[in-house]
Amino acid sequence: RIVQTHYQLQQSQRTNRNGPHSPRPMAEMTSLSLRNSTIPSRSDNPESPRDFRVEKVIDQNTLMLAWTPPKYTNNSHSRGIKCTGYKIYVDGHLHQQANSPHIAKTIVKNVDTHLYHGFSIQTVGSGGRCSDLVETSHNATVTGPRREVVEESPSGIKNNEVYSSSYKRLFVAVYDFAPSPGKHGRLELAFQAGERINVYGEERPDGFYYGEINGSRGLVPCFFIQEVPPPEHH
């Protein structure tokens, strides 16, 4: 309507000054106007992650989400947009943000895994541009029966026989980790990316290892650390 009104005013002025003449078709004027404007489209946003799912329930307040990242080109670009990470939503509210586009798993805390929850994820790009949301859900009724949780104590974890009866392996922290709130958090060790961690035995059913950092013993999440391969002997 604005374009049409503007054109009619110009036409009226030209007619008054120069007499009648053949006007430019309205379709051409509209085409010119649209050609000079920017129309947002989905191609202006990065691609969404794929195969978004609840990978594992770790305990009654913690679970792990996993997904397949978009197909990035050089330097983490998707559709020409530099990608910086992902936003994770729980029941429609922003819960946390992953600050690397190459992460494919994340631990979500402070959710009651005995209840139904809806989860969403979107790729975050430069300039605040985000992909479409991809959704998944967790329904406690289909994840199997509730297991009895064996009460553990910090002393029991620190002095567990696994430290003396199992072989030791060297791991390095891939992400920062802070113990979760509640009773289980008292059993966990805090660490930062790059720290070296000694791990004893195999992975526990809850997704943790028995670990040791600078002489302190406790539980460390297996998804936050990566094993350092032993040196080759020639």
Side-chain angles (χ1 to χ4, degrees), residues 85-89 94 96-98 120-124 130 133:
Y86 306 94
K87 288 182 178 179
I88 310 294
Y89 299 83
L94 180 62
Q96 63 196 62
Q97 188 161 342
S120 305
I121 187 173
Q122 62 182 170
T123 310
V124 178
C130 298
L133 287 168

Side-chain angles (χ1 to χ4, degrees), residues 40-198:
S41 67
R42 288 189 176 185
S43 62
D44 292 329
N45 297 324
E47 291 185 6
S48 302
R50 294 170 286 118
D51 193 25
F52 184 44
R53 62 197 183 276
V54 176
E55 181 83 353
K56 185 175 184 180
V57 176
I58 296 176
D59 60 34
Q60 60 185 356
N61 295 307
T62 311
L63 50 75
M64 183 178 70
L65 300 176
W67 61 90
T68 301
K71 295 180 180 179
Y72 295 119
T73 57
N74 294 336
N75 300 320
S76 305
H77 282 71
S78 172
R79 295 175 175 168
I81 301 169
K82 175 71 173 179
C83 296
T84 58
Y86 306 94
K87 288 182 178 179
I88 310 294
Y89 299 83
V90 178
D91 298 327
H93 301 283
L94 180 62
H95 189 271
Q96 63 196 62
Q97 188 161 342
N99 295 319
S100 170
H102 303 293
I103 292 177
K105 295 181 180 180
T106 190
I107 300 294
V108 176
K109 303 179 180 180
N110 302 325
V111 294
D112 188 344
T113 56
H114 298 143
L115 302 177
Y116 174 89
H117 294 285
F119 300 96
S120 305
I121 187 173
Q122 62 182 170
T123 310
V124 178
S126 59
R129 288 175 290 187
C130 298
S131 73
D132 294 337
L133 287 168
V134 178
E135 299 179 347
T136 190
S137 62
H138 164 71
N139 190 341
T141 61
V142 298
T143 56
R146 185 181 303 185
R147 295 183 300 177
E148 293 296 326
V149 178
V150 178
E151 187 72 23
E152 296 180 286
S153 67
S155 176
I157 292 295
K158 182 178 179 179
N159 300 308
N160 196 293
E161 63 177 9
V162 72
Y163 293 101
S164 58
S165 62
S166 303
Y167 59 93
K168 179 175 67 175
R169 291 177 290 162
L170 178 62
F171 281 66
V172 63
V174 181
Y175 313 112
D176 297 346
F177 176 75
S180 56
K183 293 182 179 180
H184 198 272
R186 298 181 299 122
L187 313 176
E188 301 168 0
L189 293 177
F191 52 81
Q192 295 182 333
E195 281 196 78
R196 298 162 69 88
I197 304 170
N198 289 322

